[in-house]
Amino acid sequence: MAVMGRSFDFIVVGAGIAGASAAFALSRHGRVALLEMESQPGFHSTSRSAAVLSCAYGPRSWQILSVASAIFYAEPREGFTDVVLARPLGALYLAASHEEQGLKAQAADLAVRGVACELVSAETARRMVPVVHMEKFTLGLHEPGCVDLDANALLHGYLRQARRNGAETLVNAEAAVITRSCGVWRVATRREALEAPILVNAAGAWADEITARAGLPRRGLRPLRRTAITFAPPAGHDVRKWPMTFDIGETWYFKPEGADIMVSPADLVPTEPCDAQPDAYDVAVAIDRIESVTSMKVDRPKSRWAGLRTFAPDHEAVIGPDPEEPSFIWYAGQGGNGVMASQAAGEVCAALAIGEDIPQTVARFGLTTDMISPCRLRPL
Ligand SMILES: Cc1cc2nc3c(=O)[nH]c(=O)nc-3n(C[C@H](O)[C@H](O)[C@H](O)COP(=O)(O)OP(=O)(O)OC[C@H]3O[C@@H](n4cnc5c(N)ncnc54)[C@H](O)[C@@H]3O)c2cc1C
């Protein structure tokens, strides 16, 4: 006879920023168990992010969720955190002449959503970031409202609030066996069994793996590795005033990181879910790229790391009930938007988990369930 597990209203698998934000939102509706296989929350992608919020970044659904979240980070609810969550940074997207149309279309789209931005000449862009070889670019898009987020404070704010509402975060607790019978999910970790009528899949790079463990078809989510390094900036520049700077085709970006510069070669290396490590080749590409598009030289990286960004085949958000089993709720496919979009995405996940519509605070920016539903993804 099966041993009864501890009983909850929701089990959330994965305590990265997605699982934590979902637990925060769900804990207002019932008892939550948040399971993390590592010894600490946020160990994988969440702690390796550039942690920037740019409303111009990423695919449409994630942009909308980021716009809707920005309001919360600027003024978090009382008791959420005692540090500043969002610090002004600014973003500058640069286009070559053949990319100008795309940049102009993006500016128009952002204006419709009420995001402050302006198209700037190459000369103005050069004044903002004097190290870029601007002869390669003809137009810039400046987004002054782009902010640097404190991802750790955000993660722990969600976890703390969830705990205050009675949620339990269990670490070293891999959801190893997942079964469902008589309308209840049963999850076995090494130590215990847990039960709940609703299961949330917030397992980041492991999202498809969790789905398979639950006996449901995978939906083709793929983890792609991305590398970053930091280095000392050239003497004589106050880099803290520079915006985060991207080429619009996203083959590189750099930003001030304290007194240093962080750069990524914007690599997209297909990888199995794992503890991602920086590859020497990608570090060399990062150095080569920053040295070819700017006048900066990298003597020696001060730090280097890699993390996984996980995408659905169309790169849009995957949030909502599984088409075959509506009590299995997806919250996955964040790509490069998972930190910035987490507050609104967590609220949307919770609303769909309890059978409600997308909250008006997010729907008013144009998000619909069809845009994010896993139903659009072919079962594998
Ligand atoms: C270099 C880099 C730069 C980035 N920059 C930005 C940025 O500027 N802004 C932004 O918004 N995003 C950025 N991102 C993306 C962002 O980091 C991710 O979108 C986000 O962290 C994904 O969060 P997550 O909770 O889904 O994944 P994770 O943080 O990976 O969390 C998933 C968790 O699930 C756990 N898990 C998996 N399987 C199980 C199981 N069976 N049982 C229990 N637990 C399990 C894992 O251990 C993991 O902790 C960047 C990413 C990288 C790599």
Side-chain angles (χ1 to χ4, degrees):
M1 198 177 80
V3 182
M4 294 278 285
R6 283 203 295 144
S7 196
F8 293 84
D9 297 302
F10 309 98
I11 295 173
V12 180
V13 180
I17 202 82
S21 64
F24 166 54
L26 286 166
S27 65
R28 300 198 298 275
H29 303 284
R31 287 203 64 215
V32 178
L34 175 60
L35 305 187
E36 172 51 53
M37 67 179 175
E38 302 292 353
S39 60
Q40 65 194 62
F43 177 84
H44 287 286
S45 304
T46 296
S47 59
R48 307 169 195 211
S49 157
V52 162
L53 183 152
S54 163
C55 296
Y57 186 81
R60 190 170 177 76
S61 57
W62 286 119
Q63 284 193 17
I64 295 174
L65 287 159
S66 303
V67 171
S69 299
I71 303 156
F72 179 88
Y73 308 141
E75 284 183 45
R77 67 174 57 178
E78 186 137 354
F80 186 83
T81 180
D82 44 19
V83 304
V84 175
L85 282 182
R87 291 185 188 280
L89 174 63
L92 180 64
Y93 293 84
L94 297 172
S97 57
H98 68 281
E99 296 165 321
E100 280 193 12
Q101 281 316 317
L103 199 67
K104 286 177 183 165
Q106 190 171 6
D109 197 40
L110 290 169
V112 168
R113 266 182 271 134
V115 177
C117 64
E118 60 169 346
L119 291 167
V120 295
S121 67
E123 182 49 30
T124 304
R126 195 189 59 74
R127 279 199 293 275
M128 288 178 181
V129 199
V131 289
V132 176
H133 293 314
M134 211 54 82
E135 61 277 12
K136 300 181 186 211
F137 304 104
T138 53
L139 192 66
L141 174 70
H142 181 224
E143 180 197 359
C146 168
V147 290
D148 241 332
L149 294 171
D150 186 332
N152 192 47
L154 187 56
L155 175 73
H156 287 281
Y158 293 138
L159 294 173
R160 197 165 37 243
Q161 291 292 320
R163 189 168 60 243
R164 283 183 189 146
N165 292 338
E168 283 186 45
T169 300
L170 306 171
V171 294
N172 298 314
E174 177 179 354
V177 182
I178 304 175
T179 53
R180 183 173 166 83
S181 61
C182 306
V184 175
W185 287 105
R186 199 155 192 281
V187 177
T189 70
R190 241 180 326 133
R191 291 206 191 92
E192 63 177 328
L194 308 163
E195 295 181 352
I198 294 176
L199 186 84
V200 175
N201 177 8
W206 289 264
D208 251 8
E209 169 63 25
I210 292 302
T211 310
R213 283 188 197 180
L216 295 165
R218 295 171 187 261
R219 298 273 159 182
L221 274 76
R222 285 207 315 164
L224 304 178
R225 191 179 66 225
R226 176 153 290 188
T227 310
I229 63 169
T230 60
F231 64 97
H237 288 281
D238 185 359
V239 301
R240 289 170 214 255
K241 293 191 181 136
W242 292 354
M244 183 158 185
T245 306
F246 307 72
D247 65 330
I248 191 68
E250 207 184 338
T251 59
W252 54 267
Y253 65 74
F254 67 90
K255 74 170 190 111
E257 184 79 23
D260 293 327
I261 299 284
M262 173 197 161
V263 57
S264 173
D267 43 334
L268 294 160
V269 183
T271 312
E272 289 299 307
C274 65
D275 180 2
Q277 298 301 320
D279 185 273
Y281 173 79
D282 297 316
V283 171
V285 172
I287 295 172
D288 178 65
R289 217 151 276 172
I290 200 72
E291 292 189 342
S292 67
V293 295
T294 73
S295 56
M296 294 189 284
K297 295 281 167 254
V298 183
D299 280 344
R300 200 164 42 86
K302 284 192 168 182
S303 61
R304 60 188 82 195
W305 70 93
L308 302 182
R309 304 174 344 132
T310 299
F311 293 90
D314 61 5
H315 285 212
E316 298 289 351
V318 187
I319 308 177
D322 185 88
E324 296 193 8
E325 178 45 67
S327 63
F328 182 92
I329 309 296
W330 288 77
Y331 177 3
Q334 290 89 333
N337 292 77
V339 175
M340 65 180 99
S342 57
Q343 190 272 335
E347 294 295 331
V348 169
C349 170
L352 299 179
I354 61 171
E356 292 183 353
D357 289 335
I358 292 178
Q360 201 39 42
T361 47
V362 185
R364 73 190 172 101
F365 293 106
L367 194 76
T368 64
T369 46
D370 288 349
M371 288 164 77
I372 58 175
S373 168
C375 297
R376 72 182 194 279
L377 303 176
R378 206 166 50 81
L380 300 181

